[in-house]
């Protein structure tokens, strides 16, 4: 480590980033990697036939749903952190857990299943914008 500190730090950041980008559970499904299929299609074969191969990949729909919930939770959770900043007593606990887990796994090994508990905190924070949207829709429909 002392011989190449920059390489070690880069490796830790790459490992942590890839752990956040791969939903836990998609690797245990086996078969072709959805990520690899999509990247191959984008890099080499942007035809409808190539896109058909992506859609016919192993467990495509299940893996796609897992990716949708994973990135939806993270995105809405980050938005929830911003929207819930005035209610800092609640937001700080959840954001603190996410930050703590991220910091611990920036030093220790980081794989998707170790990062998965943060997904629960992200979804709790994601309820903030979803509840605000629901309230807005109810107010809007009651005016009609």
């Amino acid at each position: 480590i002392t011989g190449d500190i920059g390489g070690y730090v880069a490796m830790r950041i790459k490992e942590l980033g890839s752990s956040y980008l791969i939903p836990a559970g998609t690797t245990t499904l086996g078969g072709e990697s959805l990520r690899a299929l999509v990247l191959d299609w984008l890099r080499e074969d942007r035809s409808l036939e190539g896109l058909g191969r992506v859609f016919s990949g192993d467990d495509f729909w299940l893996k796609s749903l897992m990716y949708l919930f994973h990135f939806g939770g993270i995105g809405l959770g980050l938005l929830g952190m911003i929207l819930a900043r005035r209610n800092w007593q609640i937001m700080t606990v959840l954001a603190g857990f996410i930050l703590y887990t991220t910091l611990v796994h920036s030093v220790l090994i980081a794989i998707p299943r170790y990062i998965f508990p943060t997904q629960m905190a992200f979804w709790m924070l994601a309820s903030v914008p979803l509840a605000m949207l629901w309230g807005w829709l109810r107010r809007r429909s009651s005016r009609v």
Side-chain angles (χ1 to χ4, degrees), residues 32 37 52-61 63:
E32 297 171 294
L37 285 172
R53 280 194 297 276
V54 171
F55 284 122
S56 64
D58 297 332
D59 297 314
F60 171 78
W61 295 107
K63 289 179 182 178

Side-chain angles (χ1 to χ4, degrees), residues 71-99:
F71 289 118
I74 291 174
L76 287 172
L78 291 172
L79 181 61
M81 282 184 202
I82 294 167
L83 296 174
R85 68 186 179 277
R86 293 191 183 166
N87 196 356
W88 62 271
Q89 297 90 344
I90 295 170
M91 195 276 299
T92 305
V93 172
L94 296 171
F97 174 73
I98 293 168
L99 181 64

Side-chain angles (χ1 to χ4, degrees), residues 8 22 118 120:
Y8 175 75
I22 300 172
T118 61
M120 303 309 148

Side-chain angles (χ1 to χ4, degrees), residues 13-124:
I13 291 171
K14 180 181 175 188
E15 186 179 270
L16 187 64
S18 68
S19 294
Y20 268 107
L21 293 176
I22 300 172
T26 55
T27 54
T28 58
L29 288 174
E32 297 171 294
S33 166
L34 179 61
R35 181 176 175 262
L37 285 172
V38 170
L39 288 176
D40 286 344
W41 178 73
L42 286 172
R43 289 181 188 146
E44 298 170 13
D45 182 23
R46 292 189 188 178
S47 67
L48 287 177
E49 183 181 325
L51 186 59
R53 280 194 297 276
V54 171
F55 284 122
S56 64
D58 297 332
D59 297 314
F60 171 78
W61 295 107
L62 181 59
K63 289 179 182 178
S64 296
L65 191 61
M66 291 173 78
Y67 272 93
L68 177 73
F69 277 103
H70 178 75
F71 289 118
I74 291 174
L76 287 172
L78 291 172
L79 181 61
M81 282 184 202
I82 294 167
L83 296 174
R85 68 186 179 277
R86 293 191 183 166
N87 196 356
W88 62 271
Q89 297 90 344
I90 295 170
M91 195 276 299
T92 305
V93 172
L94 296 171
F97 174 73
I98 293 168
L99 181 64
Y100 169 78
T101 304
T102 302
L103 289 175
V104 164
H105 289 291
S106 68
V107 178
L108 301 175
I109 190 167
I111 57 177
R113 71 171 175 231
Y114 295 165
I115 301 297
F116 179 72
T118 61
Q119 195 70 24
M120 303 309 148
F122 276 117
W123 272 106
M124 286 183 231

